[in-house]
Every structure is written in C-alpha cells, then in structure tokens.
Amino acid sequence: MAKPGNTFTTVLCIAMFFTALLMIVREYTRETTGHLTLDITSRLVEVSQRVADEFGQNIDIQLSELQSIANFMAQENCTQPSKCVQYYGALLRAAGLKRFALVALDGTGFCSESGSAFDLARTNKKDLFLRALSGTVGFGAISDGNGGKLAISVPLIRDGKVTAILLGEFEDSIMKKSLVTRAFGDKTCNMVFDERGRLLFWAVAPGYDIEKTFPQLVEKGLPPSLQEHLLAVFADTTNRPNRFIKDEQHAYYLTHISLEKYGLQVVSLLPEAVVSRLVDRQNDITTTLAWRMSVLALLVLIFIITILQRDNRTIRRQQEDYRSIISSISGGVIKFSGLHGDFQFISPNFLKMLGYRPEEFTQRFGKNFAQSIYEADRENALRTMQQQLDSGIPIDVEYRTTAKNGNLVWLYHKGSLVQAGPGQTYIQSIVFDITHNKETIQAKRISDERYQFILEQHDIIIFEQNLISGHFSCSARWIQTFGKVFNILGPETDPGFIPVHEDDRELLKDFQRNVHSNLRKSKVLVELRLRDASGLYHWYRVEASNLISAQGKPIYIIGIITDIDKQKQLELRLRTQATRDSATGMHNKRATEQAISRFLSLHNNLGPDVYAMFMIDFDNFKSINDKFGHAVGDKAIYQMAQIIRRNFRSTDIVGRVGGDEFLVFCTEPMPQNKIRDRAIELVNQLHLQCGNHDDEDIALTASVGIACDPTDGHTFTDLYKHADMATYEAKRRGRNQCVFYAELTASEQQSARESRQAEGKEG
C-alpha cells in the first residue's frame, strides 16, 4: 500500500492543477463571449458566398442544357412551333423551364402553358427576344406584378442563321434547391434579387417557417425597412458585405453577394435572436464544462486513492496468474541471461516436452542455453537469433534438440529481450514442439512435387485459387501460353492486365460472378478470346468448380483452360456459309429477313422521319444470261452488288433475296426527300454494259421499289410485299427508275398485286 504522505502530496497537487484549470476556463468563457458574435457573422458571409456560388453554377448548368437542347432542335429543323413545343415539351421541362414558347422571327409562335398561339407583343420578354435575334442567349429578370422572375431566350441557329427563338421562365423549385442551407440550426433565409431590388426567389431549410422570423414577409413582398436597406446595400459596392439591421419589429444580420454575371444579388438573413441564442448556449456550455471538470477532478482524486490502495493486491494477483499461464500452455517457457548465458528459469512443461527431470537436463546440457541446441543447427540458429536481436525484432527461429530417448525434436522458439533495469537484461521465450508439423510439411512437399510432375506431362492448362488466403497458382503451360500470370478469377486492379478481348469482358465478369456465387460442386464454364504470348487472340474454354467446406461455403476453386480456337473458327465458317450469299458475300434471303424482322421488333419509330426498304430488281438480266451465258451474268451480278454496297452504310442491312433481286433496309430514319435522292442516285449508278466483245452489248439497269416504316407497314412481310409491288410498277412504267409504294394509286396497287399473284410471288 502507498504511504500516507505520498498520497496526500499527490492529492494536493491534483487539486491545485484543477483549480488553475477552472480559472483558465472562466477567463476563456469571457473572451469567447466577446468574439462569438463576430465569428457568427463571418460564418454567415461564408455561407452566403457558398450559396451564391452554387446558385450561379445552377444557372450555368441550366443555360448549358437549354442551349444544347436548342442546338438539337435547330439541327432537327424545328420550324413548326406547335409541333415542336409538344414534341420537346417534356425535355424542356426536365431542363428546368416552367413556361416556354417557340417564337418565329416575326414574333408569333406557340406557348406551352396555354397550348395556343403566342403573341410577343403581349408579353414582357421583348428585350430578351431582340437579344436572341442577334444570335446570343438572353437572360434576365422580368416583372410578374408581385415581384420578379428569371426568364431566358435561346436562339435556334441552323447554318449560321437564327431560325426561331425559345422563350421561357425558370422553374422556381429547381432554382430554390441551390439556395437551401442548414446553417445556424436551419434558421437562415437565402434570397435572390434583381438589380432593381425585386425579390425573385427565397428559400429556407425544410420544416422552418420563415413567417415566424419575418411576419411581414408574404409572397413576393418584403418589409419596408428591409427593402430600403437592400437598395442601399446594392448601391454601395465599397461597404462590407455584412450588416446589422434593426427596426421597431425586427433585428437581423444581413449578408449579400453580387452575381455580376447575371445582374443578381444573393442575400442571406439571420435573425438576431438566433445569434443571441448561440451566445447564450456557448456560455451555458462553458459553465457546464467548468462544473463537470470540478466533479471530474473529485472523481479522479477518489479513483487515484482507490488505485493506490489496490496496487499491491493487483501485482500479487498478476504474479499468480503468470505462474498459472506458464503451467497451462502446451509449450515450455524458458528464461536465460543471453544466447551464450545461463538458464535463469525452465518451466516444468519444457522439461516434460523433452522427457527430462531438472537434474537430468542440467547433466545433459549444463546450464548454458547454447548447449541445448542440436550441434548441427547451433551455429545457424544462434546467428539468426543474434541478427533478430540486433534488428530490435522478436526472436523467431526453428532448431532441433535431443530428447531423453535420443530422438531429435524440432522446436519453434519465440522470444524477446527484456530490460529488467539499468544493465540488467535477459531473454524470455516460449518454445513449442513442432516435430509433427515438420513431418506434415515434408509429406505435403512430396505430394506437391508428384502433382506438378503429372501436370507437366499433359497438354492442358490448370489453375487454382485458395479462397481463404486468396493465393492463385497455375501450371507451367499457363506461362508458356500467355507469357505472364494473371488471376482470371479475380477483378482487374489494372485495366487490361487480363488479356481478354474487349468484346468478351462482360462474359468474363459473368463467369467470375457465377464461380464465386456457386454454392455447389457444379461446373461453371465460359468461352472467350484471350491474347497469347505472341499477341494473337485465340478462343479458349474456361471451366471451374468449387470445393465446399463442411459449413457449405466455397473454400477452393480449381479449373482448366482448353484451346478451342480451331473449333470456333470452323463454327464461324459454317455459320457464315449458312447466312451469306456465296456469289456476293451479302446476307442470303433467310438471314436478310431475320435481321430486318429483329430490327423492326426492337425499334418503334415515333419521329417525323421513316425507315426505308429498297427492293432492287435488275432489268433485262435474263437476256444477258441467255445471250452471253451465266459466267457473264454472275460477273454482272457481282459488279452491281458492289455498286449497291457502296451506296449504303455498313450498319444498313443489305442482302440478295433472289437471282437478280436485292433487298436493302436503312437502319437510320430519314425524311422522304432524302430517301428519294438516295434512290435516284442508286438507279443512276446501277447501269452496266454487258457483253463478250463479239456481239452487241446489252445494258443492265435496275428498277427500285421503296416501302417505308411506319407509313407503309411495320412488319417485314408488309414492307416486303409493298416494296415488291412498287418494283413491279417501276418496271411497268418503263424500268430503270424508282417508285414509292405510298405514291401508287389504288388501281396501280391492284394491278401490281394481280400480276405478282399470277407470277406466284404472293401467297
């Protein structure tokens, strides 16, 4: 137990320390109270600046989005105001416009709010309209009778000329989002004014009733005193941005930030009562802190006295626990003065582990620690232990010693250097018998060598991953094939490290996800392309299965990789032969029908443009075969096919559906005039002179029929039938021309239908 004199001195020193601490807290309270108001107003300036920056960024984002939409509308040749307002209305509202109108250059247009004609002369947006006529975006505040609101005019420019003007007003709720701040306990009110002092927007934190703070604030209205102060603040640009304003009914702090880019003022108001409450709360906190510290000092004194009284009992109990732990651990505990010093303590478990009694151990090895190490391991073990001690790290070494029965026992020695006092050091260690572990490791090494030998004798790639440790390993053929090791079962930390083809990355991710979520021993496989060591991509089949623990959790994954590139290449050739026309390389009839039908099922055209199907039938082709033979006819077919291919995009569906019939479906919607221009150009290019240099040449031309989706049908059958009827009409009119199905009269449609039925081309 501690002496009474020492206890009294300690208690007295602590009491003096806490008395001085209480005096410092009291002085700090007075100083904090004097500066807190200034700190709050400075913070109000920071809050106002942040709100102003976010509000300006919000305007910039919305202006950018609206200008992008206007550019898109201009490129789409949006010249019919009513149709364009209805078509793009949802997009413009999503971009933040509340009311908007598309106005022609003469001031007339269509309004989204009324759904009727728009008259510029009756609105207050003439200045914005005139600014947009010059090709620039107009932005500003306009009056609405009770205050003001933000409006915008965006020109629609096509080919460098203004074609129309988009007029609109910003949605209040979107603009208010960037004004909300949770500062000062949600009691801050943020407002936006124009340069003439008109209130445009105001916002407070959710759940805060602004009228409780400013009873005179109504919709689009301000207290007269606040209105006068604001006008004075806006006019005086040299004064500080924060002021204290007080009248008979209100007292509040005001901060304003000018957005000169848009001619706006952001004003933040904080009621004076809020500041007073914060100051009072700070004083309460400081006073409470002083009382709590006094109570804490008393508790600490009581605690210290209790600790001093229990100190000796705790030490004795720890010594008893230490002896109990030493006797209960499976290994032995030893203590010695140095690597070549004498033993100071040897636990009974250590002697029992080797089979010695104390006197037998001393007689066999003496008192020196180094002599207890087997002679063949002694030099290396002592050198390792000395290096660890010199490096300041714990001893961690394995060596052998001789048991009483003469067997060599492997020991795992874990110890550290203990500083008992000035110049007094010793080494204390725990020693375990690891002979069984060593034998197990040796058996595993032999098993691994056998396993590796088997892998090297087979032409397969094997990989495995331990899900507990995360270790990934693979057979030697992996390196020979890919040139590097990569974990095909784990996510990529470095993009591109796994040499999988770009088009197969999603397949690999699905495979990895399926393997790791597989709670059974079922096999998961995927076929994908991997880049080999030569830099070429080959097809491989990757298969993997999980090993499940007794608790039903995956603990190990093992898999194989098989080269299936030749099989895939053969499969690709067979698939190509089944879907391609051998003479032209284009889609055959079946593949063409499937591709067009699939496209039509996935696309619904809701815009003003249409998809076009071209039916191309050569004129006089039978005469060429009859006169010059099929060799000349096949050559002519190939040349005409190349002309057709050059006239369409690579994404369009082009196929040969008969001997001299071709079908083209344009996957890009186009206006009717553009389709007609393309058809006329195609007919002009499809002109070929065929002959064998002995007889007179025969001119090979083409008749083209066009059917459009959705005006002429939305299924392959309807479009094909109508394009075929239009082709027949083109031949009837003299060949070498194009005809739209939509332009056929009822009698022409009936005539074409009857002729095709007679030829057996319709069911």
Side-chain angles (χ1 to χ4, degrees), residues 588-735:
N588 59 24
K589 182 176 181 179
R590 178 180 177 81
T592 303
E593 179 179 350
Q594 290 177 345
I596 296 176
S597 298
R598 183 165 53 251
F599 181 88
L600 291 173
S601 66
L602 297 175
H603 296 79
N604 288 321
N605 187 13
L606 302 178
D609 297 336
V610 297
Y611 296 111
M613 176 184 284
F614 293 76
M615 171 71 76
I616 305 168
D617 195 337
F618 296 155
D619 304 324
N620 302 321
F621 182 70
K622 185 175 183 304
S623 301
I624 294 175
N625 277 337
D626 294 342
K627 186 173 182 179
F628 304 114
H630 288 283
V632 175
D634 292 344
K635 181 179 179 181
I637 285 289
Y638 178 79
Q639 292 175 336
M640 296 290 269
Q642 298 308 308
I643 296 174
I644 295 173
R645 192 188 301 274
R646 289 195 301 267
N647 274 271
F648 294 94
R649 303 176 308 152
S650 60
T651 56
D652 293 334
I653 303 172
V654 183
R656 184 182 181 188
V657 297
D660 60 344
E661 290 183 358
F662 289 79
L663 196 64
V664 180
F665 185 84
C666 296
T667 59
E668 175 190 17
M670 295 178 292
Q672 290 279 357
N673 58 344
K674 187 174 181 180
I675 297 174
R676 186 179 301 278
D677 294 341
R678 177 172 290 189
I680 293 174
E681 179 66 21
L682 177 64
V683 170
N684 292 336
Q685 292 188 27
L686 288 173
H687 194 283
L688 197 67
Q689 294 294 331
C690 301
N692 55 11
H693 304 293
D694 296 332
D695 299 314
E696 183 179 353
D697 292 345
I698 296 178
L700 180 61
T701 58
S703 297
V704 179
I706 302 102
C708 299
D709 170 39
T711 56
D712 300 333
H714 185 62
T715 65
F716 173 83
T717 302
D718 290 342
L719 293 175
Y720 182 88
K721 178 175 62 176
H722 294 159
D724 190 39
M725 294 170 64
T727 305
Y728 172 79
E729 180 61 23
K731 287 183 174 294
R732 192 188 67 79
R733 293 180 183 181
R735 299 185 175 88

Side-chain angles (χ1 to χ4, degrees), residues 89-233:
L91 184 61
L92 292 171
R93 292 187 184 91
L97 289 186
K98 177 172 60 177
R99 290 188 294 268
F100 51 88
L102 186 63
V103 186
L105 302 183
D106 59 358
T108 61
F110 188 81
C111 179
S112 65
E113 182 181 22
S114 63
S116 59
F118 175 83
D119 188 357
L120 180 64
R122 297 181 180 179
T123 66
N124 50 4
K125 301 184 179 70
K126 295 180 181 179
D127 292 339
L128 296 176
F129 178 79
L130 294 176
R131 195 183 310 172
L133 282 178
S134 62
T136 60
V137 176
F139 176 85
I142 60 176
S143 175
D144 63 353
N146 294 324
K149 52 189 176 183
L150 289 180
I152 183 174
S153 60
V154 183
L156 275 65
I157 301 176
R158 182 180 177 90
D159 298 331
K161 296 180 180 181
V162 177
T163 59
I165 306 297
L166 176 63
L167 291 176
E169 300 171 10
F170 281 114
E171 177 66 41
D172 290 356
S173 60
I174 295 178
M175 302 305 296
K176 288 181 179 180
K177 285 183 179 179
S178 57
L179 295 177
V180 176
T181 177
R182 307 304 295 261
F184 303 104
D186 301 342
K187 300 301 188 297
T188 307
C189 176
N190 298 307
M191 305 179 179
V192 178
F193 297 83
D194 64 4
E195 56 190 5
R196 293 195 293 175
R198 292 181 300 192
L199 176 61
L200 301 177
F201 307 102
W202 61 270
V204 295
Y208 176 48
D209 189 357
I210 187 64
E211 294 185 1
K212 291 182 179 179
T213 304
F214 306 108
Q216 298 180 17
L217 182 62
V218 295
E219 183 67 24
K220 297 295 184 179
L222 293 173
S225 58
L226 178 58
Q227 184 78 25
E228 295 174 2
H229 281 296
L230 288 177
L231 292 176
V233 168

